[in-house]
Amino acid sequence: MKSYLASRFVVLRDQERCIQCRVCVRQCGYDVHAYDSEAGDVFSCDERCVGCHRCVVFCPTQALSVRENPLSYRANANWRPEVMEDVLRQAETGGVLLTGMGNDKPYPIYWDHLVLNASQVTNPSIDPLREPMELTTFLGAKPEAVTLDPETGALATELPPQVPVAVPILFSAMSFGSISLAAQESLARAAAEAGTLFNTGEGGLHRSLHAFGEHAIVQVASGRFGVDPEYLEEGRMVEIKIGQGAKPGIGGHLPGEKVSAEVAATRMIPVGTDALSPAPHHDIYSIEDLRQLIYALKEATQYSKPVGVKIAAVHNVAAIASGIVRAGADYVAIDGLRGATGAAPKVMRDHVGIPIELALAAVDTRLRQEGIRHRVSLIAAGGIRNSADVLKAIALGADAVYIATAALVALGCRVCQMCYAGKCSWGIATQNPYLTRRINPSIGARRLANLLRGWSLEIQEMLGGMGINALESLRGNRLHLRAVGLSESEMRVLGVRPAGE
Amino acid sequence: MSDHDLLSSDPDQEIDAHGVHYRDLNARIRQALQRGPCQRLALRHVCGQRYIGTGLRSHVRIEIHGTPGNDLGAFMDGPTIIVHGNAQDGSGNTLNSGEIIVHGRAGDITGYAMRGGRIFVRDGVGYRAGIHMKEYAARRPVLVIGGTAQPFLGEYMAGGVVLLLGLNLQADEPHPTVHVGTGMHGGVIYVRGAIEDWQLGREVGRAELEEEDRVLVERLVYDFAGHFGGDPQAILRAPFVKLFPLYLRPYGNLYAY
């Protein structure tokens, strides 16, 4: 069928600069560029371009640029180009529209309406260059109270398992399968260097990454891929995945094309079959059932490590989180509306769930009201872009945050949203060995560790500016936030006063 | 050594589970295994304790007298558990290797996501037994059910073998289960006795047993009779049918690329 879709991008090649070296031909995972040996020049098929800039960045003579196709439709606030293009794509395929990465629609970004405080005159700020700043965060349930041995002064209370992270920033779940092993190894190495954790997603822990088990959160999802006693023993924490911000309420399908021999070995499924993670866990239909799985995992790991639960932020998130705490989870990860994915139906990604800022504030408030906030750590996920977002999340009540998109951007990702195609020119969201070789895990880890170092320095600066020398003092301290340009009801949910008040 | 010989001798160690919380019971099982060589461990007066043998990596043989609770042998790697009584829900949840032999019935989601090992249930099983069973390389899990099953047997099945014997049914009485193999995309289900097409999921095909199927079924029936008694030849005389996935990728054409 003739496609009625116009190309999304236009590739501009400066013929005076182009030396026909064919780097672009080799770099593009989407076969945009080709060499015409008869004419002796390189040409481009614009309609295949996804706008990932791989060719632009690697062109040795800067001969290439990529523009959004300036094609104008008749202006229509209702029938915007994207809306019409989606209709055309479905008319031509009859399928569910797939997409990758997080929600790109212009929902309010509350981080950008929250501002942080700083000390002036009445309480001195602290200079983190000269004074110690404490960012270490202990993940895990906290006891009601602690008692000390009166003789020795040692802690007499038996603590639930605690996992310290040197920075309150963890790499969110990205499975081997959805991303390449080189990308996952980059995350693992960076987590080890920075003293934090990465998350295996529902893809098992590849044997080459067992050395990083101390820095791994191992995920248990409905498909139970790669889950065996060894996997549970290797991980530092165990996470039951109930939901994901990009696709609340549905499961995952890793298409057979991506189930290579290595992916198959790690997930422990046959090569080339679809890896279907059904929407629900078939042993969980209630909070009581969730408790059963939490304690099954605690029994299997002999109560040696925190067992957490990841959910998507949905309308009743506060009540759900309360139930999860009562079910015995040691941490709750909440993934908001802008959380990303390797593949999700576009309609789910763009229309289901609520923003993380509101969800986080609602959950923290609810757990405090019920007197059970100490029984879990809260991890906020879905749309954390920089160190200011991290700090605002902590002030809203998070113990730590998950980042994924920011980490992939550090590895070269341009958020082209084509992860599901498996052709990623940056070697991230692909299993094609020609493409995955592009990521050198030690260089990838360097980029990621640099990012965490930069954010952590900025967090120390901002904390010091507020006159705070320990992150713990900011946690849930919403008086250090003010709202700009938000409605009364939004401020009520966020528990934040307007700027100037 | 046959089951009978083993049972007529004394176990190496015993634990009285009366009134013991599951957490303490499992700790005591692990302690017992650490104390020294223990090939057979008997648990007496078990009454609903969950997670017995969960995550256990050993080759011990655990004999349970009474009724174990949910998630019996979940994530288990190696042990043999023999239940002299009924088992509840989630037995063999994500079982890695080892055996669970139930001299009675087992509840819902028996064998959920198991990827290795074998489960033998003398009587029937509850809903969604064998759901999302999977296999990899030489690991091919087996679930043998002497009685019949509630609906959604082998749902989402991705590998392994389910054998449904229907020994509690009258001659020509059909299996009461429906939606068998819904979403199935791997593995095989053998059914002894009558099952109609309308009882099967849309993704399921039906075939006569071939030689290799017959060899496998015969071996499993002999093992079943070894555990629970009965005449394997008599069991094998009834007709069997093989259910298999029609598509390895049932949802391959769902999406617009």
Side-chain angles (χ1 to χ4, degrees):
Chain A
M1 192 189 292
K2 160 75 181 158
S3 174
Y4 295 168
L5 286 155
S7 71
R8 183 83 186 266
F9 294 96
V10 180
V11 179
L12 303 173
R13 181 184 303 276
D14 184 337
Q15 292 296 354
E16 289 196 353
R17 289 187 169 197
C18 180
I19 54 171
Q20 288 86 44
C21 68
R22 287 174 264 171
V23 163
C24 53
V25 178
R26 290 189 291 275
Q27 290 295 324
C28 184
Y30 293 84
D31 297 323
V32 169
H33 309 286
Y35 179 66
D36 181 340
S37 55
E38 282 184 19
D41 63 1
V42 182
F43 64 98
S44 306
C45 302
D46 292 357
E47 69 276 12
R48 295 178 185 166
C49 179
V50 299
C52 82
H53 299 181
R54 179 78 188 184
C55 59
V56 176
V57 171
F58 279 78
C59 175
T61 58
Q62 287 85 51
L64 288 170
S65 184
V66 172
R67 299 271 160 80
E68 201 137 44
N69 191 344
L71 179 72
S72 293
Y73 290 80
R74 184 176 179 116
N76 189 321
N78 204 22
W79 291 94
R80 299 182 300 277
E82 184 188 349
V83 176
M84 288 193 281
E85 285 164 10
D86 283 352
V87 168
L88 285 172
R89 201 165 280 117
Q90 291 193 293
E92 290 166 14
T93 61
V96 172
L97 292 173
L98 275 184
T99 190
M101 303 310 287
N103 193 324
D104 60 1
K105 298 295 173 290
Y107 291 98
I109 297 171
Y110 291 98
W111 305 130
D112 296 340
H113 292 270
L114 293 170
V115 288
L116 288 158
N117 196 21
S119 303
Q120 298 294 301
V121 185
T122 53
N123 57 336
S125 43
I126 298 170
D127 183 355
L129 297 179
R130 289 182 291 102
E131 297 188 55
M133 302 294 287
E134 189 58 83
L135 300 190
T136 301
T137 298
F138 290 84
L139 300 173
K142 306 294 182 287
E144 295 287 332
V146 289
T147 52
L148 301 179
D149 185 312
E151 302 283 308
T152 62
L155 190 64
T157 310
E158 194 185 336
L159 292 180
Q162 303 291 315
V163 172
V165 287
V167 287
I169 305 161
L170 288 61
F171 296 125
S172 196
M174 286 174 273
S175 69
F176 170 41
S178 76
I179 61 170
S180 63
L181 186 58
Q184 201 180 52
E185 185 179 339
S186 303
L187 294 163
R189 283 170 179 251
E193 183 179 332
T196 183
L197 304 167
F198 76 106
N199 188 316
T200 61
E202 192 189 15
L205 186 66
H206 189 266
R207 60 187 178 281
S208 70
L209 298 183
H210 279 211
F212 299 99
E214 272 295 286
H215 295 278
I217 298 174
V218 294
Q219 210 177 52
V220 175
S222 61
R224 302 287 157 85
F225 296 116
V227 180
D228 64 9
E230 194 181 356
Y231 173 77
L232 299 175
E233 279 167 22
E234 295 275 353
R236 191 66 185 274
M237 306 207 288
V238 180
E239 181 171 282
I240 298 170
K241 181 198 174 181
I242 299 291
Q244 181 177 348
K247 41 182 169 180
I250 65 170
H253 293 175
L254 185 72
E257 294 88 0
K258 289 192 183 176
V259 182
S260 66
E262 287 294 304
V263 170
T266 309
R267 295 193 178 217
M268 295 184 258
I269 53 172
V271 174
T273 57
D274 282 2
L276 305 180
S277 293
H281 287 248
H282 298 293
D283 50 357
I284 304 177
Y285 288 85
S286 65
I287 289 291
E288 291 77 10
D289 289 351
L290 175 64
R291 181 179 180 83
Q292 181 171 306
L293 182 59
I294 289 171
Y295 278 87
L297 291 165
K298 289 187 177 189
E299 281 289 335
T301 55
Q302 297 174 62
Y303 300 87
S304 63
K305 53 192 75 177
V307 176
V309 176
K310 177 179 177 180
I311 53 168
V314 291
H315 300 185
N316 291 323
V317 67
I320 295 161
S322 169
I324 293 170
V325 177
R326 292 168 196 284
D330 296 296
Y331 74 87
V332 181
I334 307 161
D335 194 12
L337 178 67
R338 292 186 300 273
T341 176
K346 189 166 185 267
V347 69
M348 304 291 299
R349 186 198 71 172
D350 290 352
H351 300 281
V352 183
I354 67 172
I356 186 59
E357 302 91 326
L358 302 175
L360 171 61
V363 168
D364 181 69
T365 302
R366 177 71 171 261
L367 300 185
R368 283 171 191 278
Q369 284 168 349
E370 296 184 359
I372 55 174
R373 176 64 183 82
H374 64 282
R375 280 165 57 179
V376 278
S377 294
L378 286 182
I379 303 177
I384 306 283
R385 302 158 300 173
N386 51 43
S387 60
D389 290 354
V390 176
L391 217 52
K392 291 170 188 176
I394 285 168
L396 280 181
D399 288 276
V401 302
Y402 267 143
I403 60 166
T405 301
L408 298 187
V409 169
L411 294 176
C413 169
R414 294 300 204 268
V415 197
C416 78
Q417 310 184 23
M418 293 292 293
C419 324
Y420 62 90
K423 297 176 179 176
C424 179
S425 304
W426 290 91
I428 300 169
T430 177
Q431 301 304 323
N432 177 346
Y434 182 72
L435 300 170
T436 60
R437 271 202 304 270
R438 298 170 180 202
I439 295 185
N440 174 331
S442 60
I443 296 172
R446 182 78 264 125
R447 300 181 72 94
L448 290 161
N450 281 346
L451 178 75
L452 292 183
R453 178 175 184 270
W455 285 17
S456 136
L457 291 172
E458 289 174 346
I459 288 170
Q460 293 178 42
E461 284 288 348
M462 286 185 281
L463 278 182
M466 284 184 254
I468 293 174
N469 63 4
L471 201 57
E472 196 56 39
S473 307
L474 183 69
R475 195 154 281 131
N477 188 344
R478 301 186 198 174
L479 286 173
H480 276 294
L481 293 171
R482 287 291 187 275
V484 177
L486 293 181
S487 69
E488 285 288 340
S489 55
E490 286 165 320
M491 287 189 288
R492 189 185 71 242
V493 174
L494 289 167
V496 170
R497 290 152 67 180
E501 195 175 88
Chain B
M1 204 188 296
S2 75
D3 281 12
H4 182 76
D5 294 337
L6 264 173
L7 290 175
S8 59
S9 62
D10 287 334
D12 299 331
Q13 294 193 44
E14 283 195 16
I15 296 172
D16 185 350
H18 178 72
V20 179
H21 188 264
Y22 66 74
R23 187 171 175 175
D24 301 322
L25 180 57
N26 271 327
R28 284 168 67 177
I29 292 171
R30 288 180 194 272
Q31 280 164 10
L33 299 183
Q34 280 166 1
R35 257 202 299 276
C38 178
Q39 292 183 326
R40 283 181 57 205
L41 176 64
L43 309 181
R44 309 274 178 203
H45 308 118
V46 171
C47 187
Q49 285 95 342
R50 291 179 173 182
Y51 313 123
I52 295 174
T54 285
L56 202 59
R57 307 182 79 177
S58 160
H59 289 287
V60 66
R61 182 184 169 100
I62 298 175
E63 289 152 21
I64 295 176
H65 300 273
T67 305
N70 293 353
D71 274 347
L72 172 72
F75 310 107
M76 189 172 80
D77 199 14
T80 296
I81 293 182
I82 297 153
V83 182
H84 298 285
N86 296 324
Q88 298 191 47
D89 298 341
S91 297
N93 187 344
T94 324
L95 180 67
N96 209 47
S97 69
E99 286 201 337
I100 298 176
I101 297 152
V102 182
H103 291 258
R105 71 176 299 282
D108 297 343
I109 59 163
T110 297
Y112 172 24
M114 65 191 283
R115 76 159 56 74
R118 310 202 302 173
I119 299 177
F120 287 86
V121 181
R122 190 193 65 196
D123 303 334
V125 293
Y127 288 79
R128 296 193 145 97
I131 186 168
H132 222 312
M133 276 170 71
K134 44 181 67 76
E135 65 185 65
Y136 175 65
R139 286 203 198 148
R140 196 177 186 206
V142 170
L143 170 61
V144 181
I145 301 154
T148 189
Q150 295 294 332
F152 292 102
L153 175 69
E155 188 184 12
Y156 267 119
M157 197 167 160
V161 180
V162 171
L163 173 58
L164 183 67
L165 292 174
L167 298 175
N168 60 334
L169 301 174
Q170 303 300 314
D172 298 331
E173 181 186 354
H175 283 275
T177 180
V178 290
H179 305 297
V180 174
T182 294
M184 185 178 185
H185 54 291
V188 61
I189 302 173
Y190 300 106
V191 179
R192 177 183 175 276
I195 193 157
E196 304 290 331
D197 283 344
W198 62 265
Q199 295 176 273
L200 310 182
R202 280 179 302 181
E203 301 85 355
V204 179
R206 167 202 287 274
E208 298 287 314
L209 271 62
E210 293 176 24
E211 187 52 31
E212 62 177 319
D213 300 312
R214 259 188 284 275
V215 170
L216 174 60
V217 167
E218 193 175 304
R219 184 161 60 80
L220 293 177
V221 167
Y222 270 86
D223 289 349
F224 180 88
H227 291 311
F228 307 120
D231 176 5
Q233 281 305 328
I235 295 174
L236 287 165
R237 269 197 292 276
F240 283 80
V241 64
K242 172 184 180 177
L243 308 178
F244 63 95
L246 290 172
Y247 324 100
L248 292 180
R249 303 193 48 196
Y251 308 115
N253 65 352
L254 200 59
Y255 302 109
Y257 277 97

